[in-house]
Structures are given as C-alpha cells and as structure tokens.
C-alpha cells in the first residue's frame, strides 16, 4: 500500500508519460476559441457514416489513428485500449474501435470517462502490466440530443442552464518511457447524489461530485490550490463552476484564481449560443488533448489537476422521478 | 513487463484472494439446479422498488451487503468498487451503489462485466493500489426484456436460439491477504465482430469472442485444457457452447471434456423453458459467486478458467443494420 495516500488517492511511483495525443472535433467546436489546438476539424458531422451514432465511433477511430501516427506507433504496439461514451451500451466506442485488434477494457463514467480512462491506464502502466495504453472517449451533439433529450427536428428550446454536448473525441497514448507530461496522482471519485433532478442543469448536479473529489485530493495529498497552476474541471459549465468555487470555500480552499472548466473554454459562450457552456465526454477529452496538454508541453503550466465530472442517470430514471447520481475522477499531470 | 505473458495475458505475481462472495437471485433462478448455492433467493422481483430498473440496483446493493457481512467488513474497509450492468448508462449500478461511499470505477462489458471487474480488481490489488476491492454486476429479466426486446405485456414469442436474461447479482471481495481461491492469470479480450446480426442468437454472436480469448490464453501461457479442471464460459448457452467447442478444435485444442457454460447451468433448460439457456451479466456473476467458487473452496476444482462473453451492440445499432461486436474476458482461478 506504499502508493496509497489517504482514502481515495494514489501517488504513482512510476509516472506514465503522455507520449501522444489527438483531438478530432466538429464544425462548431472548430469555430471556438481553441480551434488552433485541434488535430482535425470535421465539417461533415456524419463523418461519411449513415448515422450520427456510427459517426461518433468514427471520431474515436480517427482520434486513435492520429494519436498512433503522431507517435509513430502501430496498433500492435499498444497493450490496452480503454474507452466508453454516452450512447446506450457505449455503442460509439464498440463500433468505432472494433477493428483496432487491441485488448479492450470498456468504461462507463459518463462525462468523467476521459479521466477514468487516464486513471486506469496510468495504473496499468505504473503497475507494470503494460508498456503503452490508449485512453479515449467521445460525444456527439446529434446522437446525444436524440438519445437524452429530443430529436433535433423537434427544435426544442433550451433552458439558460443547459449545456451543449460537444461533437468531439480526444485520445492519449500513455507509456512507461518517452517524453511528455506525466500523470502523478489519481483520485477516484465516489458516487454522489444530492437529490438534484433537473437534467437541464447538469452543472448544478455535478458540482458536488467535483467538490467531493477535489477536496479528497487536497486532503489525501496535503497539496493545496497553490501547488497547481490550473485546477480544471470537466464540464460543469458556467453555473456549475460558480457553484463549485463557492462551495469549496466551506472546506477551506479557494480555487477561484486557479480554476477553469473545459465547458467554459471550448466555445465562445455568448456568440456561439451554448447557454451554460459545453458538455459531453468529448468536451473534456478534446480540450485536454488539444489545448491543455499543448500548454503543458510548452511549459505554460507545470502542474495541473483535472477533475472530470459525469452524470450517471439515464433519461428513463429521471422520468421515473429519480435524482441524478454523479461522479468525478481526478488526475494530477506535471511536466 | 515481467508479468506480461504473450500479447493479452498477465500472470499475476501477487495473486489476490477471493475472500468473500455473494449471490442474490430471483425466483426462477432459485428454482433451478443451483438453488442451494445462492445466498438469497428473492420472490419479489421488484425488491420493494417502484420499477424493475431500481429493483436491479437493489439486487446489487444486497449482494454487496451480504459479501461484506460474510467477511465481517464495513464499507470503509473497501478501497474500490467496480461494477456495470446492461441498463442504459448502467443505471442499475449507479442507483444501487450510490450510498456505498466507496471510490467507484464504472465498467461496461455487457455480459462479460463480472470477469472484466475481476480482472481490473485483481490488477488494482496486485499492483499495490488497493487492499480490498469489490467487483460485481447484475441483470434483471424484466428490465432487459423491456429495454432490449419488447415490453413483457406484449407476450412476444422467443426463438429456439434465444436465451433467458437472469435476474441475479453476484459480488466478490478480493483482498491482498486472507483465504480463498486466488486469481492467477488475466486474459483481456479484443472486440470481435464476425458479422452476425441476429440478436436472438447471442450464443452464435459471442462464441467467436470466447474462442479468440481462450485460444489467446492458451497460446500466451503455454497452458492447455489438461491444466484446467473446468473451462467455464459466461453465457454462450446451449448453441454457443456447441459452436465454441467445435471451432476451437481448428486451433488444436479440445475443450469438450472440460467445458461448461453458466447459461447451461443456471436453469433446468427443458423444464424451465429457457430455450438456449441463461444470459445477462447476472448469469455468470451468480453462477460464479454461488456454485463455482463454492466448488473451488471445497476442493472439487483446483484450477479453472472463466471466460465471460459480452455482446456490445445496442438495440438501435442492430435496427440500423449493424452487426454485433462482442468481447470475452478471462481469468484463471486456483485454490
């Protein structure tokens, strides 16, 4: 147990390197402020497929191909691939990755999947089970709207607190050797349910999960907000971010000067009419694998904490009157 | 990489012990040939909940409680809990486990989830990240029929190749110390899709995945069917089992004398009218956590290979004309 810090955090003795990364985004994401950080901006949101569902898989497939190419690696160089998505039974992942021929571990963490994947991938490498592991995820605005809310043709009005599901995929390759930012700590979240039932206000539902995990991280490690150049949440959006920064003061931490949120960064919020910001597994994945890791590589950031959040309900359970269970997983990344 | 054997298999240096196990099943499962091996047989398939969806979560919750009680442990003694299920967005798991207050990693492996969970849990312990981990899963006939096929009230006819989704949950507690059967090898499957589209014949769709993983296990380890007292598949059912035993001869292995399948064992197939046998995440979970681990503890089996199989489509992708991607994960368990 020499690596365990506190109840929820692992300090990795052997820190895996993020040796490659790829981000593939849709047109709208490619018109946002981070457009120069993405590897590919796709104008056809069906990616040549017959459905949005399969298109989302094609985003994942393309992200894997780009990440491998950038590292000059082949599929057979990878020991495990870890992924999941928001579609029922994670179908985007399974169809997108079915030709990879790489041992596969399927994850479900909703919009926390990118960091859940990074966590498990890091443990596979640090535990000497693997040399190289790919972690990725995706979301697609059209497949998500159809499944979680209304068919696009319905033209439903969105509430001011609603977030915009990103059409995007992000992938990293972790390795036990090489160059790149390193994963140093893993804080695994617990399921948190504060009784919130409004699926048009995911930021409010998920903020308590981010709070729980970030506070656990600080308490477990003895680190404070001062130790980080950036404390990044997955996709709390504008409202959820405010709630988090407010609530965490009660625990004695002020993160307001260090905090940002992928859902606030991916779009020009006012101009692109995304209401409370971006969301979806692909939001955190593409912002991390595009802009954020680039800034770490450039040395703008030296040490960051990334806490992705996920809402764990399905549309049926909410119609049955149930509240929204949530989770947040965090990793520390350093250069 | 000293633990890696071949491309897909890990030989664990530190083998975690299965120190506790629990199985909770429904009425029909409790009338089958393994009835004496289960910890609890529930006559109310709603478990006092308002829906089958939440009932399935209650099966998981109960399985965790029983497994903890049998080991004289509290929730706070557990470092991680790993689970997933067949409901959209794994809702049974999230609602069932939301009060556990244990760091949670969500998995999606369809009916392979029990062994995916055992695999990751074993790596968490062997890699010194955790002392004790719970792995579990569930399925529920009524929630699965509603979601994957037809409302029960519709009274749809079942094909001869169809399998019966088990109403059941099974949970294990793995520990780095104690007594019990040990997990010694982990073979992680790849996504396999042989173009089969018939969702009423899951055994045929999944048999190639079991084949791929079991052959990889033998090739990676140098072990043969003679080294095992039992080669158990998850839920190929009657037809899928025949296909597996037939196909694997082409790879030079005869498993016919050692093979059995949880889907063939859970019910009296003819009398209970389950057509090709049992299926669902809870089938492998309850048979393993009930009958099989009991036989290992008694010494009837000394070394077994368990390869659970999962079908990774969703109902929509199949209606869109897509074939069924599948996977199989395997672990070796020894006394």
């Amino acid at each position: 147990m020499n690596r365990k810090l506190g109840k929820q955090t692992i300090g990795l003795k052997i820190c895996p390197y993020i040796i490659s990364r790829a981000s593939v985004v849709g047109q709208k994401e490619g018109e946002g402020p981070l457009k120069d950080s993405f590897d590919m901006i796709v104008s056809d949101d069906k990616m040549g497929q017959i459905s949005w569902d399969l298109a989302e898989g094609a985003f994942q497939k393309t992200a894997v191909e780009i990440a491998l190419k950038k590292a000059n690696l082949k599929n057979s160089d990878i020991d495990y691939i870890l992924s999941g998505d928001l579609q029922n039974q994670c179908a985007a992942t399974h169809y997108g990755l079915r030709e990879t021929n790489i041992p596969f571990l399927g994850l479900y963490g909703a919009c926390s999947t990118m960091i859940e994947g990074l966590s498990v991938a890091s443990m596979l490498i640090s535990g000497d089970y693997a040399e190289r592991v790919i972690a990725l995820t995706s979301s697609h605005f059209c497949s998500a709207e159809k499944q979680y809310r209304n068919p696009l043709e319905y033209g439903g009005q969105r509430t001011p607190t609603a977030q915009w599901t990103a059409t995007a995929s992000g992938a990293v390759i972790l390795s036990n050797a090489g160059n790149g930012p390193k994963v140093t700590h893993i804080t695994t979240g617990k399921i948190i349910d504060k009784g919130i039932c409004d699926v048009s206000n995911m930021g409010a539902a998920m903020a308590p999960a981010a709070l729980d995990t970030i506070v656990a991280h600080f308490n477990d490690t003895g680190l404070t907000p001062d130790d980080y150049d950036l404390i990044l949440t997955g996709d709390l959006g504008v409202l959820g971010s405010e709630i988090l920064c407010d609530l965490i003061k009660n625990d004695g931490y002020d993160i307001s000067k260090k905090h940002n949120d992928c859902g606030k960064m991916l779009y020009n919020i006012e101009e692109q009419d995304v209401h409370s910001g971006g969301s979806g597994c692909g939001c955190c994945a593409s912002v991390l694998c595009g802009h954020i890791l680039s800034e770490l590589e450039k040395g703008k950031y030296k040490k960051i904490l990334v806490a992705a959040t996920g809402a764990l309900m399905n549309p049926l359970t909410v119609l049955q009157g149930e509240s929204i269970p949530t989770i947040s997983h965090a990793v520390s990344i350093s250069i």
Side-chain angles (χ1 to χ4, degrees), chain A:
Chain A
M1 295 300 290
N2 47 18
R3 291 158 179 161
K4 195 83 184 285
L5 306 167
K7 185 65 194 158
Q8 289 177 244
T9 304
I10 291 164
L12 294 170
K13 276 199 172 169
I14 298 165
C15 297
Y17 299 91
I18 300 173
I19 59 164
S20 187
R21 58 188 172 81
S23 51
V24 182
V25 303
Q27 184 86 40
K28 189 179 181 93
E29 293 70 24
E31 291 167 356
L34 306 183
K35 59 186 174 190
D36 294 333
S37 70
F38 302 122
D39 293 288
M40 187 187 285
I41 297 168
V42 179
S43 57
D44 169 18
D45 62 6
K46 280 209 177 142
M47 285 282 261
Q49 304 292 315
I50 61 161
S51 68
W52 293 315
D53 314 285
L54 289 175
E56 188 182 334
F59 272 80
Q60 286 204 27
K61 186 175 183 226
T62 307
V64 169
E65 287 166 357
I66 293 172
L68 286 168
K69 192 174 177 189
K70 285 168 79 173
N72 199 23
L73 292 170
K74 302 183 301 295
N75 290 38
S76 57
D77 296 318
I78 306 299
D79 297 305
Y80 296 92
I81 188 163
L82 278 55
S83 186
D85 63 87
L86 291 169
Q87 286 185 22
N88 292 342
Q89 287 72 54
C90 301
T93 298
H94 303 142
Y95 287 94
L97 304 182
R98 67 179 153 178
E99 286 156 14
T100 56
N101 203 36
I102 301 169
F104 169 76
L105 291 170
L107 305 177
Y108 188 78
C111 305
S112 73
T113 301
M114 189 69 215
I115 303 303
E116 184 185 359
L118 261 175
S119 301
V120 178
S122 298
M123 290 195 267
L124 287 172
I125 289 172
S126 192
D128 207 16
Y129 303 114
E131 286 181 27
R132 283 177 290 272
V133 180
I134 295 180
L136 79 156
T137 185
S138 66
S139 56
H140 194 300
F141 177 74
C142 305
S143 62
E145 284 297 303
K146 177 168 63 100
Q147 182 183 283
Y148 281 99
R149 286 165 282 267
N150 295 302
L152 289 188
E153 295 82 351
Y154 176 73
Q157 293 289 305
R158 299 159 55 77
T159 69
T161 54
Q163 292 173 240
W164 188 278
T165 305
T167 300
S169 178
V172 292
I173 304 179
L174 278 84
S175 174
N176 61 356
N179 287 306
K182 291 174 296 186
V183 179
T184 61
H185 295 80
I186 298 165
T187 302
T188 301
K190 299 177 290 192
I191 301 175
I192 304 289
D193 187 338
K194 295 292 185 188
I196 291 164
C197 298
D198 181 1
V199 289
S200 292
N201 193 352
M202 285 296 182
M206 298 192 297
L211 173 74
D212 193 80
T213 296
I214 294 171
V215 169
H217 178 82
F218 290 145
N219 291 348
D220 285 349
T221 59
L223 297 168
T224 72
D226 291 340
D227 293 304
Y228 286 103
D229 300 318
L230 174 70
I231 295 166
L232 183 72
T233 44
D235 48 358
L236 295 178
V238 177
L239 186 59
S241 293
E242 278 177 27
I243 295 170
L244 170 65
C245 291
D246 202 25
L247 286 178
I248 202 166
K249 288 178 188 160
N250 298 334
D251 291 283
Y253 298 109
D254 182 359
I255 63 169
S256 56
K257 292 199 183 77
K258 300 293 178 77
H259 178 260
N260 208 340
D261 182 81
C262 298
K264 289 167 67 179
M265 300 169 77
L266 182 58
Y267 303 104
N268 289 308
I269 289 184
E270 294 288 324
E271 292 164 37
Q272 292 189 284
D273 195 26
V274 295
H275 295 208
S276 197
S279 69
C281 306
C283 177
C284 176
S286 63
V287 173
L288 179 68
C289 299
H291 177 68
I292 299 292
L293 288 174
S294 163
E295 296 291 272
L296 274 157
E297 288 162 5
K298 288 180 204 156
K300 185 185 165 191
Y301 301 131
K302 293 200 166 33
K303 187 176 176 70
I304 69 170
L305 180 68
V306 190
T309 49
L312 303 176
M313 82 299 165
N314 72 27
L316 181 71
T317 60
V318 175
L319 289 174
Q320 288 171 346
E322 269 298 333
S323 54
I324 303 172
T326 62
I327 198 159
S328 175
H329 298 300
V331 295
S332 300
I333 306 175
S334 296
I335 54 167

